[in-house]
Amino acid sequence: MKRYSVGIIGATGTVGQRFVSLLGHHPWFEPVALFASSRSAGKTYEEAVEGRWAIPSPLPSYAKNMVLLDAADIPSAKGLDFVFCAVNLGKEETKALEEAYARVEIPVVSNNSAHRNTPDVPMVIPEVNPEHLEVIPFQRKRLHTKRGFIAVKSNCSLQSYVPLLHPLKEFGIRSVSVCTYQAISGAGKTFSSMPEILDNVIPYIGGEEEKSEKEPLKIWGTVKGGGIEPATSPIISAQCVRVPVSDGHTAAVSVKFERRPSREEIIRAWKTFEGEPQKLSLPSAPKQFLHYFEEDDRPQPKLERMLENGMAVSAGRLREDPLFDYKFIGFSHNTLRGAAGGAVLLAELLAAKGYFD
Ligand code: NAP
């Protein structure tokens, strides 16, 4: 496989730091340019993240002396094969920034929500809906590009329940109730920058419930007429709360089926499920995507967050539900599987399928 020269936009942020950390030894992707706001531009990466490096492993030596570029300075990205993007900008500014890169023929693999509802922008969980990449040629036509395009990841909350529901679609999922217990890194925070979360639960995460209910329908949608037509079912009701956990989102899920499976059928569906990343042996793909724990006190963020390098999704406590058919607990790492790791896996899928060539 060819090595690709990669840029990271938003490299100083919570997700950006994960990209910097993950790409240190990547077999296909070489991070050669780091971008942030004009506030950080001109500083070395080490200076810019001083006092806010939030990753448990040390700052990788390759990045320390790289000088940050201003993301608005698009010509400085010349020669990059593609960029990862994770910025905390408003929707319209983010859209404009991502399209500006795509239009100069630099594909964008994005963690931002701005383009998730754009019909010809694929929103992909690589194990779940890799076929949605088929809309890229239609998007290129709209943007008048030959190479440039935008592909996005879904919201981090979804990763703790959508991958677990996906193999159960064969039983016809009628309705889902989910409550997510989300880590503070999902808000770009650490315990020192969010002291109000200690001994507390905050029952509101702006925009999160709408995304948690709506984005799965695009992911389960079909490629039609040059875009993704969202699915019309199942009905999903979500409540999202912020909890005092550093990394890892938990989901309490109840689900009603058209044809009620047995408990064994559900667990078998999880254990035997594999997607394109496993079939293609992509470098960041977990060997076993979905893990089921029989112990009553699992999955736990502290124990499961680094399972398969933070790329696996865990489940436990599958049992009957008096209102729905079954309930269970799901879990995934929000800045790895749910953000930077998921985006790296998506980029690997795009590379393996020739979209960067
Ligand atoms: P963050 O920690 O607040 O970092 C934001 C990054 O954006 C910083 O690198 C910042 O650079 C950069 N930035 C701000 N203004 C900019 C501008 N005008 N031009 C270029 N760069 C600019 O945010 P985050 O938590 O990493 O989230 C980033 C994106 O990922 C958001 O869209 C978020 O919704 C999404 N996301 C986050 C998670 C998660 O778990 N955290 C999960 C999934 C998706 P400076 O340092 O120079 O200000």
Side-chain angles (χ1 to χ4, degrees):
M1 173 67 77
K2 148 184 179 180
R3 269 183 81 73
Y4 295 88
S5 296
V6 174
I8 303 169
I9 305 178
T12 50
T14 306
V15 178
Q17 292 180 18
R18 282 280 176 199
F19 280 122
V20 169
S21 174
L22 284 174
L23 296 178
H25 296 104
H26 196 280
W28 300 353
F29 306 149
E30 185 173 355
V32 297
L34 305 180
F35 302 86
S37 73
S38 55
R39 296 178 293 276
S40 305
K43 293 182 186 168
T44 65
Y45 189 68
E46 189 171 29
E47 285 165 355
V49 295
E50 197 189 341
R52 56 173 172 149
W53 180 253
I55 310 290
S57 54
L59 203 164
S61 53
Y62 84 88
K64 283 186 181 169
N65 293 319
M66 285 176 77
V67 175
L68 281 159
L69 302 166
D70 182 348
D73 179 18
I74 313 277
S76 65
K78 199 165 176 250
L80 295 178
D81 289 313
F82 72 96
V83 290
F84 290 107
C85 188
V87 291
N88 58 349
L89 284 174
K91 187 171 176 176
E92 292 312 317
E93 285 169 291
T94 305
K95 273 189 166 180
L97 183 74
E98 293 180 344
E99 286 195 5
Y101 278 82
R103 284 184 200 278
V104 295
E105 305 293 3
I106 300 176
V108 180
V109 180
S110 173
N111 279 275
N112 307 310
S113 59
H115 270 298
R116 289 187 195 148
N117 291 327
T118 309
D120 62 13
V121 171
M123 174 163 66
V124 174
I125 300 175
E127 283 87 349
V128 173
N129 59 333
E131 72 281 4
H132 284 192
L133 299 183
E134 288 165 23
V135 299
I136 288 173
F138 297 97
Q139 189 196 137
R140 282 177 170 152
K141 217 168 180 178
R142 172 174 61 86
L143 296 174
H144 303 291
T145 58
K146 288 196 172 72
R147 259 191 110 239
F149 65 87
I150 300 157
V152 301
K153 267 199 58 317
S154 64
N155 197 49
C156 50
S157 62
L158 269 66
Q159 319 281 334
S160 52
Y161 59 94
V162 168
L164 292 161
L165 292 170
H166 185 67
L168 310 184
K169 282 185 76 197
E170 61 173 301
F171 307 113
I173 300 175
R174 193 178 286 175
S175 51
V176 176
S177 170
V178 58
C179 181
T180 61
Y181 302 83
Q182 301 193 197
I184 58 174
S185 58
K189 302 285 187 187
T190 58
F191 287 118
S192 54
S193 61
M194 197 181 190
E196 67 275 24
I197 197 69
L198 293 170
D199 190 26
N200 208 1
V201 165
I202 296 177
Y204 176 68
I205 305 175
E208 203 77 351
E209 290 167 355
E210 190 193 353
K211 290 175 192 164
S212 302
E213 292 172 355
K214 204 169 154 199
E215 290 184 14
L217 299 177
K218 180 168 179 185
I219 285 171
W220 286 322
T222 42
V223 179
K224 214 169 182 182
I228 310 292
E229 192 174 284
T232 50
S233 67
I235 298 167
I236 301 174
S237 167
Q239 297 199 72
C240 301
V241 302
R242 190 74 72 194
V243 295
V245 167
S246 59
D247 287 314
H249 292 349
T250 297
V253 187
S254 295
V255 53
K256 190 159 187 62
F257 295 100
E258 306 282 349
R259 297 180 303 286
R260 192 179 201 273
S262 68
R263 190 174 179 277
E264 290 67 35
E265 283 178 302
I266 294 176
I267 292 175
R268 193 176 328 120
W270 285 338
K271 287 190 170 167
T272 57
F273 179 74
E274 59 170 22
E276 285 270 275
Q278 286 71 34
K279 289 177 189 144
L280 295 168
S281 298
L282 298 178
S284 302
K287 298 242 166 335
Q288 175 73 33
F289 180 34
L290 307 175
H291 291 246
Y292 184 73
F293 289 88
E294 290 290 351
E295 298 90 331
D296 279 341
D297 58 355
R298 308 282 286 276
Q300 294 180 24
K302 268 190 167 176
L303 300 179
E304 270 63 73
R305 60 168 68 111
M306 289 314 292
L307 191 62
E308 304 243 20
N309 298 318
M311 291 299 286
V313 175
S314 313
R317 304 210 59 222
L318 176 66
R319 61 220 191 275
E320 293 191 0
D321 184 297
L323 285 177
F324 291 73
D325 287 326
Y326 285 96
K327 52 189 167 186
F328 62 87
I329 302 290
F331 174 81
S332 81
H333 194 305
N334 58 299
T335 63
L336 287 169
R337 167 55 76 168
V344 171
L345 187 63
L346 171 54
E348 290 168 2
L349 182 67
L350 287 159
K353 300 219 170 250
Y355 285 97
F356 295 143
D357 298 329

